[in-house]
Amino acid sequence: DGGITQSPKYLFRKEGQNVTLSCEQNLNHDAMYWYRQDPGQGLRLIYYSQIVNDFQKGDIAEGYSVSREKKESFPLTVTSAQKNPTAFYLCASRRDSKRYQPQHFGDGTRLSIL
Amino acid sequence: AQSVSQHNHHVILSEAASLELGCNYSYGGTVNLFWYVQYPGQHLQLLLKYFSGDPLVKGIKGFEAEFIKSKFSFNLRKPSVQWSDTAEYFCAVKVDYGGSQGNLIFGKGTKLSVKP
């Protein structure tokens, strides 16, 4: 079955450490997104990519980095510059970012600080 | 396992018609509830959320939702839709375990098409 796989489901980070969250999709979707959710808030966009080898910053990109070397993969790195990384991270994808297409979601990764 | 059901896959309305999109969830404990909207070519945006207090929640762009705990529902409403409301709407639930955070669970979405 096609879908989005995020891993790990739970992740713990030490102070000053970079960690990478994986997001893989086998839906042949062009567009992929990373969102963050904090307690008491809705989702906020971190980064998105409309096509391979291209990505744009979202509303809260500081302290994060991404790559899109392959169509099916859009890993998110939470760097040590992100001072408050504890949150729920959700990856999503759509076939085409320009037109109406259903959005698919991963199951999310919960990141906590040790 | 917790789940979120959105009853309608695609809703077609004429402008000025009233809208109600259904959302039901399966968890019986404390939940946080959200409605998100995705306009064509854009990313998800938060319409409104419920955490506690008044079960009738007002959101942006004239949307509101009512949390009915006994029915496990959080239906989205708007008295009079506009063509610009054409979008896909997602209901989401986060279980509150009283200190530890549950994951966000999305419904499959309802596509709303508003005819001018």
Side-chain angles (χ1 to χ4, degrees):
Chain A
D1 289 338
I4 301 179
T5 302
Q6 283 187 245
S7 62
K9 192 170 183 178
Y10 298 97
L11 185 60
F12 298 92
R13 192 190 92 166
K14 294 180 182 178
E15 294 284 351
Q17 185 182 40
N18 291 357
V19 291
T20 297
L21 283 58
S22 170
C23 178
E24 304 277 331
Q25 52 97 359
N26 60 3
L27 300 162
N28 199 34
H29 283 177
D30 287 317
M32 298 186 74
Y33 307 81
W34 273 107
Y35 297 93
R36 166 181 171 144
Q37 187 189 31
D38 294 278
Q41 298 192 40
L43 292 176
R44 291 182 292 168
L45 183 66
I46 306 173
Y47 266 100
Y48 64 102
S49 168
Q50 296 176 326
I51 198 168
V52 175
N53 292 322
D54 186 45
F55 49 84
Q56 287 81 39
K57 292 182 179 180
D59 301 322
I60 53 163
E62 186 174 349
Y64 299 97
S65 66
V66 293
S67 63
R68 188 82 188 278
E69 296 174 3
K70 298 185 295 183
K71 189 175 187 178
E72 59 270 24
S73 178
F74 191 41
L76 174 74
T77 296
V78 185
T79 74
S80 56
Q82 173 48 248
K83 297 306 178 189
N84 185 22
T86 297
F88 178 73
Y89 292 86
L90 192 69
C91 180
S93 74
R94 292 172 65 221
R95 180 177 300 279
D96 182 337
S97 67
K98 293 184 178 62
R99 297 183 301 162
Y100 228 154
Q101 296 289 346
Q103 177 134 184
H104 295 250
F105 301 99
D107 290 333
T109 294
R110 184 160 298 284
L111 175 63
S112 303
I113 295 298
L114 288 175
Chain B
Q2 294 96 35
S3 65
V4 178
S5 299
Q6 290 185 241
H7 314 300
N8 307 100
H9 179 63
H10 189 186
V11 172
I12 303 172
L13 295 173
S14 298
E15 274 194 317
S18 64
L19 169 71
E20 181 160 3
L21 301 181
C23 174
N24 286 89
Y25 61 94
S26 63
Y27 183 70
T30 302
V31 292
N32 305 144
L33 300 158
F34 307 81
W35 273 100
Y36 287 90
V37 61
Q38 185 168 31
Y39 298 102
Q42 298 187 29
H43 57 272
L44 284 173
Q45 299 173 47
L46 180 67
L47 263 183
L48 47 80
K49 62 183 188 286
Y50 172 81
F51 280 72
S52 63
D54 188 343
L56 184 61
V57 180
K58 304 282 187 186
I60 60 171
K61 303 186 181 185
F63 287 91
E64 65 179 32
E66 185 174 12
F67 171 49
I68 303 179
K69 190 173 183 178
S70 60
K71 294 185 178 180
F72 300 93
S73 71
F74 191 55
N75 292 355
L76 181 71
R77 301 195 293 247
K78 185 170 183 179
S80 175
V81 295
Q82 302 172 312
W83 178 79
S84 58
D85 292 324
T86 295
E88 191 159 17
Y89 293 81
F90 294 90
C91 180
V93 174
K94 184 164 72 73
V95 176
D96 184 348
Y97 293 108
S100 62
Q101 298 291 323
N103 288 342
L104 193 62
I105 304 165
F106 279 83
K108 293 193 183 299
T110 297
K111 181 179 172 181
L112 172 65
S113 299
V114 180
K115 298 183 291 185

